[in-house]
Amino acid sequence: PELLTPLSTVRGEPQRRVHSRYDRRVADMLVAGSPVVLWLRMRRFFCDNETCPVKTFAEQVEGLTSPHARRSPRLRGMLESIGLAVAARAGARLAGRLGLVTGRDTLLRLVRAVPDPPIGPVTLLGVDDFAFKRRRSYGTILLDMATHRPIDLLADRAADGLAEWLRAHPGVSVICRDRAGAYAEGARLGAPGALQVADRWHLWHGLAGYVEKTIRQHRHDLRDPDHDVAEPASDPVTSRDVEQIAIAADIGRVEAQAVVVRIREHHVAVRQLLAKGESISGISRSLRLDRKSVRRFARAASVEELLIKQRDGRPGPLERFKPYLRERWNQGCTTATVLLAEIRGQGYTGSYPALTRYLRLFRTVGAAPPATPAPPKVRDVTRWMLQHPDDLDDHDRARLTEILARSSALERLAYHVMSFAEMMTGLHGERLDAWIAAVEADDFPQLHSFTAGLARDRAVVVNGLTMEHNSGPVEGAVSRLKSIKEACTDARSSTCSARRSSAGSEPAKC
């Protein structure tokens, strides 16, 4: 009957001399929906190998037991799969419905104990960063682009960390990355023979930002001149036209002066309080300003810098409601609270003082200018220009056509955008130099900054516009990582809340 030949832990030599026996209980898979516990009588053996540090050891039944485990490998594998699929709290609920009673901490412990799969040889590598804590600490995620499987996480996003990883894993021939300088340097140091490929989405996203800035510089071309007040040099002018022109000019002048005066007063007040040692939060409470506004006033070197930002910045939340307010004022509705309720129902999210400041201009002049259709937003025109023409609806396509017809600058900008899109989607990287030359020959300073960046990273950009590789799978892995992190944060917050509520008035540590 003594036919088992368990192996020693070091040299694997069979041993037959029995030391003792003991009883052991092991939980196994369910049978017909009922939990199963195996009651086993196991043997311990002497190890007669003098070089082995273990004097006695217990026998194991293959596929049923493992050292120091109270679950069979089959049951452990099922719980690991549940924990990996739906995490701790939801996994505990699912396991309970299946008859496998376990706790969320047990599932987390099993998931943490799962060994990392071996990395193996990697030829196509994807690199991107992710946030441990946004705006404070970042790490790096590495992906095998052939299998779209995450293979490693680095504790930072510095060049040295990536270079060290590449030296430890030779054989990488293609590295897909964004245009971050740290990853470019790390790839150059760690794998000098690898081809670096710039991600096309990041190229398009960078172009979109410069296109929006260029359109903002030409935003006066967005207004339809047919809806403006008639000028004296064109059509015969009546007394009503003269009155409307005077009102519009007076309100524009008063509005501009009011904004300048308010910015100057806030800048002086913030600088004086800062000189007295006040904090940003204290100044925000004293002047009743948002902390972001106070910080902007504090960082500005001069008032002119603030005025330039105010002039070039995006329109405020009241901008798209100004035509409606002018129309209602001309109809005789001059009560600010009534107008506030009406535009709140239309989606206004700004403040009541902002509305009263705008209406104060009408009271100063004595009337409101005629309501004119609001020009399209800069962001909307940017979206129309960057979107494929077949994906635009008829209304947006018609409005974009009208804008390009009356603005030669925006028409040339749209041509450059279309040329870059054709080069990117058709993988015609050989056209990059010609495209850069055409843009630099045009009068678009913002796009010149974009082309200067492309020229500095020319080889990598050409690879990105020629080769089929891109960082889409890496972005997907980062999104999944964010989802997991948010789920863990929500679970931790709910656990802390539950502990605080159960502790009552006594303080509890999470």
Side-chain angles (χ1 to χ4, degrees), residues 219-464:
R219 62 183 178 274
H220 56 275
D221 294 338
L222 305 182
R223 185 177 296 276
D224 189 356
D226 296 335
H227 296 288
D228 290 343
V229 179
E231 294 292 338
S234 57
D235 299 329
V237 182
T238 63
S239 59
R240 178 61 178 169
D241 294 333
V242 175
E243 182 181 357
Q244 291 178 352
I245 294 172
I247 291 173
D250 291 342
I251 288 182
R253 183 165 53 254
V254 173
E255 183 177 6
Q257 292 175 354
V259 171
V260 172
V261 170
R262 187 167 65 251
I263 290 177
R264 290 184 182 277
E265 292 177 350
H266 288 164
H267 181 263
V268 171
V270 169
R271 302 297 290 187
Q272 290 177 351
L273 292 176
L274 282 175
K276 296 179 180 179
E278 289 285 342
S279 63
I280 297 295
S281 300
I283 297 175
S284 174
R285 290 190 296 268
S286 301
L287 301 181
R288 295 183 179 180
L289 294 174
D290 188 81
R291 283 187 297 177
K292 295 180 181 178
S293 300
V294 175
R295 194 175 290 111
R296 186 172 66 253
F297 287 125
R299 290 175 178 175
S302 62
V303 181
E304 286 71 19
E305 180 180 346
L306 293 170
L307 294 178
I308 292 174
K309 292 182 179 180
Q310 175 70 23
R311 185 170 62 250
D312 295 338
R314 294 192 180 98
L318 190 63
E319 188 68 28
R320 70 185 183 96
F321 301 99
K322 287 183 178 180
Y324 177 79
L325 293 173
R326 294 174 182 176
E327 181 181 0
R328 293 289 291 135
W329 187 279
N330 292 330
Q331 293 175 356
C333 181
T334 60
T335 306
T337 54
V338 175
L339 294 174
L340 178 66
E342 293 178 359
I343 61 177
R344 288 272 194 212
Q346 300 177 18
Y348 174 64
T349 58
S351 63
Y352 176 73
L355 174 63
T356 56
R357 282 196 301 268
Y358 182 67
L359 297 180
R360 193 180 303 128
L361 304 175
F362 299 163
R363 294 189 174 91
T364 303
V365 178
T372 58
K377 295 181 179 179
V378 172
R379 180 168 292 182
D380 291 337
V381 179
T382 305
R383 177 175 57 83
W384 300 340
M385 196 174 293
L386 294 171
Q387 199 168 353
H388 195 281
D390 296 339
D391 297 335
L392 292 173
D393 56 33
D394 296 336
H395 179 263
D396 293 343
R397 190 183 300 111
R399 296 193 70 182
L400 178 61
T401 303
E402 292 175 1
I403 293 172
L404 299 183
R406 63 172 176 261
S407 175
S408 60
L410 295 182
E411 184 180 12
R412 298 195 307 272
L413 177 64
Y415 173 76
H416 294 316
V417 172
M418 181 185 64
S419 301
F420 191 88
E422 292 177 352
M423 176 175 55
M424 184 181 67
T425 56
L427 299 180
H428 300 298
E430 69 278 1
R431 303 180 185 176
L432 179 63
D433 293 336
W435 185 85
I436 292 177
V439 172
E440 291 181 347
D442 217 332
D443 186 20
F444 293 129
Q446 299 294 341
L447 283 186
H448 293 172
S449 301
F450 178 67
T451 55
L454 296 183
R456 287 192 299 268
D457 214 9
R458 180 186 175 280
V460 180
V461 174
V462 170
N463 292 336

Side-chain angles (χ1 to χ4, degrees), residues 163-177:
E164 182 179 355
W165 190 94
L166 290 172
R167 295 190 191 100
H169 301 83
V172 177
S173 59
V174 177
I175 300 176
C176 301
R177 61 170 179 85

Side-chain angles (χ1 to χ4, degrees), residues 119-127 142-145 151 162 165-176 187 190-196:
I119 295 179
V122 179
T123 57
L124 303 178
L125 182 68
V127 182
L142 304 177
L143 231 72
D144 186 353
M145 302 298 290
I151 54 178
L162 178 60
W165 190 94
L166 290 172
R167 295 190 191 100
H169 301 83
V172 177
S173 59
V174 177
I175 300 176
C176 301
L195 290 177
Q196 300 185 37

